[in-house]
């Protein structure tokens, strides 16, 4: 069973000794805790989305530019935040399907549910990235006066440039590398692969994540040019 102490031990091991972590996890795999990891990624992203939304709404109200009805309604808030909560789960399942497919092609005999579980554990770096992004967002926006619309626009433009900077992109790719590193050990134990063989499906998943990020960046840059 998962006690507080065992949870702390597992969390410690996934950072410092992922080989031992996944070796122990393969003895009693379960989806519940990895699902919580993925849920937390979504929750942090939703929190960031709501914070930016509330910040922008406050600025519009202070400048007298708020839309009729007093800002963004509940329906629009749902429209903006639900994707942030759902997308991590969709990504989790798609990445897991890719890792399962490549592992089976290489002769792996591990179960699909176990592979899904280790894929979820491998998203711990995504949770770290979400927390860091929220922290950076709070740092840049909390230091501005939302009563000045131009200052708000400048702050959001600066925030966008920081989040898409070379340093942040390097940080993001470092997190993807960390994910692939964790997936390698997970696949090793689930499918009884050697480390090099296990790295193949993990690297394939990492490459897809990077490609998706590059495509998303190109779209976001085009959108940003419309507003800034």
């Amino acid at each position: 069973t998962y006690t507080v102490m065992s949870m702390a031990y597992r969390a410690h091991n996934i950072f410092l000794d992922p080989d031992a972590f996944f070796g122990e996890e393969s003895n009693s795999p379960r989806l519940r805790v990895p699902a919580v990891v993925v849920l937390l990624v979504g929750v942090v992203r939703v929190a960031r989305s709501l914070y930016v939304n509330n910040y922008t709404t406050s600025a519009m109200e202070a400048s007298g530019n708020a839309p009729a009805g007093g800002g963004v309604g509940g329906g629009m808030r749902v429209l903006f935040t639900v994707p942030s909560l759902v997308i991590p789960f969709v990504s989790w399942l798609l990445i897991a399907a890719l890792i399962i497919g490549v592992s089976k092609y290489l002769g792996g005999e591990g179960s699909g549910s176990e592979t899904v579980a280790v894929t979820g554990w491998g998203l711990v770096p995504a949770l770290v990235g979400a927390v860091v992004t929220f922290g950076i967002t709070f740092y840049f926006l909390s230091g501005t006066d939302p009563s000045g619309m131009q200052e708000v626009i400048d702050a959001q433009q600066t925030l966008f440039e920081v989040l898409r900077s070379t340093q942040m992109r390097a940080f993001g790719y470092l997190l993807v590398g960390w994910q692939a590193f964790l997936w390698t050990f997970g696949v090793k134990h689930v499918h009884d692969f050697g480390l090099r063989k296990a790295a193949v499906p993990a690297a394939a998943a990492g490459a897809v994540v990077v490609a998706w990020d590059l495509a998303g960046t190109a779209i976001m840059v085009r959108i940003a040019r419309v507003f800034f």
Side-chain angles (χ1 to χ4, degrees), residues 93-112 115-116 119 187 191 193 200-202 204-205:
L93 296 178
L94 290 177
I95 294 170
L98 174 62
I99 292 177
I100 290 170
V102 177
S103 297
K104 293 296 184 182
Y105 177 78
L106 295 175
E109 299 180 353
S111 73
T115 308
V116 171
T119 304
V187 171
H191 293 279
F193 284 165
V200 175

Side-chain angles (χ1 to χ4, degrees), residues 10 19-30 114 118 185-186 188-191:
R10 288 170 181 268
D19 193 16
F21 173 84
F22 286 110
E24 181 179 344
E25 188 66 21
S26 64
N27 295 325
S28 56
R30 60 184 70 193
E114 290 180 33
V118 300
F185 287 105
K188 171 191 171 185
H189 287 282
V190 170
H191 293 279

Side-chain angles (χ1 to χ4, degrees), residues 79-162:
L79 179 64
F80 289 143
T81 58
V82 165
S84 296
L85 196 60
V86 173
I87 287 176
F89 284 94
V90 175
S91 300
W92 176 25
L93 296 178
L94 290 177
I95 294 170
L98 174 62
I99 292 177
I100 290 170
V102 177
S103 297
K104 293 296 184 182
Y105 177 78
L106 295 175
E109 299 180 353
S111 73
S113 61
E114 290 180 33
T115 308
V116 171
V118 300
T119 304
W121 279 115
L123 292 175
V124 166
L127 176 58
V128 174
V131 171
V132 170
T133 301
F134 188 13
I136 292 173
T137 300
F138 181 80
Y139 173 80
F140 276 94
L141 298 188
S142 64
T144 60
D145 180 10
S147 63
M149 199 62 196
Q150 186 57 49
E151 185 178 2
V152 168
I153 293 174
D154 291 343
Q156 292 190 337
Q157 182 177 3
T158 300
L159 174 62
F160 177 82
E161 292 173 351
V162 168

Side-chain angles (χ1 to χ4, degrees), residues 180 184 187 193-204:
T184 297
V187 171
F193 284 165
L195 200 58
R196 289 186 179 182
K197 194 173 185 179
V200 175

Side-chain angles (χ1 to χ4, degrees), residues 61 66-73:
E61 290 175 348
V72 180

